[in-house]
Amino acid sequence: MGEIKVSPDYNWFRSTVPLKKIIVDDDDSKIWSLYDAGPRNVRCPLIFLPPVSGTADVFFRQILALTGWGYRVIALQYPVYWDHLEFCDGFRKLLDHLQLDKVHLFGASLGGFLAQKFAEYTHKSPRVHSLILCNSFSDTSIFNQTWTANSFWLMPSFMLKKIVLGNFSSGPVDSVMADAIDFMVDRLESLCQSELASRLTLNCQNSYVEPHKIRDIPVTIMDVFDQSALSTEAKEEMYKLYPNARRAHLKTGGNFPYLCRSAEVNLYVQIHLLQFHGTKYAAIDPSMVSAEELEVQKGNLGISQEEQ
């Protein structure tokens, strides 16, 4: 593999935004790694959950842009969890540790599935105020690997990496997308065997989202029209599951639009979060919102409440 082309923005990000490590479980080998950037007075931040191959820093372009506009953003990297319930319990403890009652979640691929499962898990005492689901899915059976899910823990690292790389784009791509794939391959190389095995287990373990438990949560579904690991059937299933969701379609972007089409992704994220401006669930510092924008948003809130 050739030398990875590292963006100057990425180098600047790594030098200015500290990586925190937090333990919330009794097992002190379970370490959450996260970047927490933006104004601390924001109590309902946007949290990014990565795909199988990703680390917390794959969202560096969102962190740099959104914090510059006044949003509080947290990007996570999961510890080793082997089932969805264990993940949800650990994530709830992390939010408690960070003293965050409610959050907005942006999940990419596996991250999106886990975001939905967490919203479902906490539906009786809601912790998720809204969801942005990027190239995500609602049923693990789409990967046709539920029968192998219990054997990933036995596989050596190189075999697990081969499974993940099999879902990366193999056709012709533009230079920006090629750089994004190289970056993600580099991130994949940084994951140890147990991290990869546990994520693939979560990705393929027989499970599906129960929509009736999260139907009141505002959702934006973000996907791409070009080649990605997500089948057309999986996309259609998401549209059926969330008939009232906003749709953010990108003409191109592959598996990692947040890296190679970050300007479009960041715009869609802003549009999604705009509906919460002027409320206690705003992910932005109130001082960064103009009075005119606030009046318009209050008017929109009034209209939506009348409709209900």
Side-chain angles (χ1 to χ4, degrees):
M1 191 170 65
E3 189 177 328
I4 302 295
K5 184 180 174 185
V6 178
S7 154
D9 286 346
Y10 178 68
N11 288 332
W12 188 80
F13 163 77
R14 288 296 297 268
S15 65
T16 55
V17 185
L19 179 67
K20 297 178 181 176
K21 293 186 181 289
I22 297 172
I23 297 169
V24 294
D25 290 284
D26 295 334
D27 179 354
D28 61 8
S29 69
K30 294 189 183 301
I31 302 169
W32 290 84
S33 302
L34 60 91
Y35 296 99
D36 185 351
R40 292 299 185 276
N41 60 318
V42 172
R43 302 308 306 154
C44 189
L46 174 62
I47 298 183
F48 285 85
L49 304 175
V52 168
S53 55
T55 47
D57 53 2
V58 302
F59 299 112
F60 76 93
R61 296 191 189 281
Q62 284 65 53
I63 296 170
L64 290 176
L66 293 167
T67 54
W69 296 322
Y71 291 91
R72 183 179 177 188
V73 177
I74 298 172
L76 295 177
Q77 186 170 327
Y78 331 113
V80 173
Y81 289 123
W82 295 99
D83 67 60
H84 303 117
L85 191 61
E86 189 187 22
F87 166 83
C88 290
D89 191 49
F91 189 34
R92 179 186 56 77
K93 288 176 185 171
L94 178 71
L95 295 187
D96 290 345
H97 175 86
L98 296 171
Q99 298 181 314
L100 299 172
D101 290 332
K102 291 194 89 176
V103 292
H104 305 280
L105 297 179
F106 178 114
S109 191
L110 170 63
F113 182 70
L114 293 175
Q116 293 169 85
K117 293 303 286 183
F118 183 70
E120 180 187 292
Y121 171 78
T122 58
H123 78 281
K124 287 184 178 174
S125 179
R127 304 296 294 268
V128 179
H129 198 64
S130 76
L131 292 166
I132 305 173
L133 305 171
C134 177
N135 281 348
S136 197
F137 53 92
S138 59
D139 189 335
T140 58
S141 65
I142 62 161
F143 298 109
N144 298 317
Q145 284 194 314
T146 50
W147 59 278
T148 59
N150 292 331
S151 58
F152 288 129
W153 68 277
L154 288 165
M155 296 182 188
S157 229
F158 79 88
M159 198 180 287
L160 297 169
K161 285 172 184 173
K162 193 175 177 183
I163 292 169
V164 177
L165 288 170
N167 289 315
F168 282 23
S169 299
S170 52
V173 293
D174 62 40
S175 61
V176 182
M177 285 177 70
D179 287 343
I181 293 168
D182 283 348
F183 182 80
M184 291 302 290
V185 170
D186 186 56
R187 299 293 81 212
L188 177 63
E189 290 293 332
S190 74
L191 298 173
C192 69
Q193 191 274 348
S194 59
E195 286 175 311
L196 259 181
S198 63
R199 291 182 187 195
L200 280 167
T201 302
L202 293 175
N203 202 75
C204 299
Q205 203 171 56
N206 196 18
S207 183
Y208 57 88
V209 175
E210 299 177 60
H212 62 280
K213 291 183 177 176
I214 53 176
R215 62 171 174 247
D216 297 328
I217 297 175
V219 175
T220 291
I221 296 172
M222 189 181 295
D223 53 26
V224 298
F225 286 143
D226 61 351
Q227 185 192 1
S228 76
L230 206 62
S231 66
T232 304
E233 293 77 22
K235 291 180 189 177
E236 294 297 333
E237 193 57 39
M238 289 291 284
Y239 302 152
K240 276 193 274 183
L241 201 65
Y242 301 107
N244 300 318
R246 297 180 178 194
R247 297 188 192 178
H249 300 301
L250 285 80
K251 190 176 176 184
T252 58
N255 288 315
F256 316 117
Y258 40 88
L259 278 169
C260 60
R261 299 292 183 266
S262 58
E264 289 174 73
V265 169
N266 295 346
L267 178 62
Y268 281 129
V269 168
Q270 280 186 286
I271 291 168
H272 173 88
L273 293 174
L274 188 64
Q275 61 191 301
F276 310 111
H277 287 194
T279 74
K280 66 177 180 178
Y281 301 115
I284 193 171
D285 185 333
S287 66
M288 300 294 281
V289 183
S290 69
E292 294 83 358
E293 187 185 331
L294 215 50
E295 283 306 312
V296 170
Q297 191 54 28
K298 281 176 182 171
N300 291 340
L301 280 171
I303 291 166
S304 64
Q305 280 163 4
E306 281 168 25
E307 287 171 351
Q308 288 170 2

